[in-house]
Amino acid sequence: MFGTQTSRRSWLQLAPATLGMAVLCGNQVVAAQTGSGSAQRKSPPFRLGLASYTLRKFPRQEALAMTRQVGLEYICFKDFHLRLDATDEEIAQAREDVAKFGLQLYAGGVITMSRPDQVEQAFSYAKKAGMQLIIGVPHPEVLDLVEKKIQETGVGVAIHNHGPEDRLYPTPYEAYEKVRNRDKRFGLCIDVGHTIRAGVNPAKAARELADRLLDVHVKDVSEAAPKGRTVEIGRGVIDIPEFLTALLEINFSGVVSFEHEKDPDQPLVGLAESVGYVKGVLATLLRA
């Protein structure tokens, strides 16, 4: 749709009409099912948000504006948008920026923690930023310290699985075995794309590991195989209606964050299409 010479700024000016149509699709499904709007619509127990890795090529202010533009209210910052070594003043400014756009900074990550100093830094960072959750990859040797910091700070940790290339946590099941007997705030972030690339049904994993599910990264992929790549939700191989049904069945109450890794220079249209698809599916599933 856009030539390769289109600048990022000019693309951002062109994108709203297209992305608006995608998000509107989801909203129109909702409107059709609530009639005049006077009847109260059921809402899912979980919230929809964004993993800011989606917008990794954009500075924080633009990323926040784009998050609002696609109708999301929760955001998980990757360190592109708030450095792990940010000063207290920089963290305070980031919190002010998030509030200005009417968003909630609920989490940070994905953050790797292989050494004690990295654990200390991650928790200090999350606490100062007002995050409730760290989406992380804690190595086995620091798990006891991570649990101790959870208990000290009240900040939870959700282990993120990274698919068949990940030697520690290819699927949510390996992470579950590490946390199943620990503090309840030490749980899982199921990345549905990486899960299915590792040969595991994400809906099945959500149902079986429900007691530790704290967060979700939602996307779609081209193949249920290691070489599968991110595509717009609804265009790939993941059964998104089945997965959302599983989340409703287990009464998942965390955040389902979109992580659209495709087209990093021009992600907004694909992200909006994905948001619209999920909102439309949810409206159908929640129909009275």
Side-chain angles (χ1 to χ4, degrees), residues 47 74 104-107 126 130-134 154-157:
R47 297 148 290 165
Y74 293 83
Q104 292 193 42
L105 178 58
Y106 83 96
M131 299 169 180
Q132 296 131 30
L133 193 62
I134 294 169
V155 175
V157 172

Side-chain angles (χ1 to χ4, degrees), residues 137 159-171 174 197:
V137 181
I159 298 180
H160 184 284
N161 62 290
H162 271 111
E165 303 86 358
D166 184 353
R167 66 181 180 84
L168 292 177
Y169 310 113
T171 79
E174 289 81 11
R197 289 196 313 108

Side-chain angles (χ1 to χ4, degrees), residues 5 15 80 88 205 226:
Q5 300 304 312
F80 301 106
D88 290 356

Side-chain angles (χ1 to χ4, degrees), residues 147 150 157-159 172 175-190 205-215 250 252:
E147 184 175 31
I150 290 171
V157 172
I159 298 180
Y176 185 83
E177 288 304 313
K178 297 295 186 182
V179 301
R180 61 186 304 175
N181 296 318
R182 294 182 180 271
D183 190 290
K184 291 291 186 182
R185 294 165 291 184
F186 202 171
L188 313 176
C189 171
I190 291 182
R207 290 185 175 103
E208 292 181 348
L209 310 179
D211 63 310
R212 290 290 169 160
L213 184 57
L214 302 181
D215 194 71
I250 67 174
F252 174 64

Side-chain angles (χ1 to χ4, degrees), residues 2-79:
F2 304 108
T4 57
Q5 300 304 312
T6 302
S7 71
R8 185 169 71 188
R9 188 168 299 278
S10 63
W11 175 78
L12 281 169
Q13 293 170 348
L14 291 170
T18 307
L19 72 89
M21 291 178 64
V23 175
L24 182 60
C25 290
N27 293 338
Q28 285 176 333
V29 174
V30 173
Q33 292 171 358
T34 56
S36 65
S38 59
Q40 188 172 7
R41 177 175 60 91
K42 288 182 180 179
S43 296
F46 52 84
R47 297 148 290 165
L48 298 178
L50 182 77
S52 81
Y53 182 77
T54 302
L55 306 175
R56 57 197 176 276
K57 295 292 188 73
F58 297 83
R60 184 168 67 226
Q61 294 276 353
E62 288 185 38
L64 293 170
M66 294 160 80
T67 302
R68 286 297 296 176
Q69 204 167 10
V70 296
L72 301 173
E73 297 180 0
Y74 293 83
I75 192 163
C76 170
F77 268 168
K78 184 66 176 167
D79 56 5

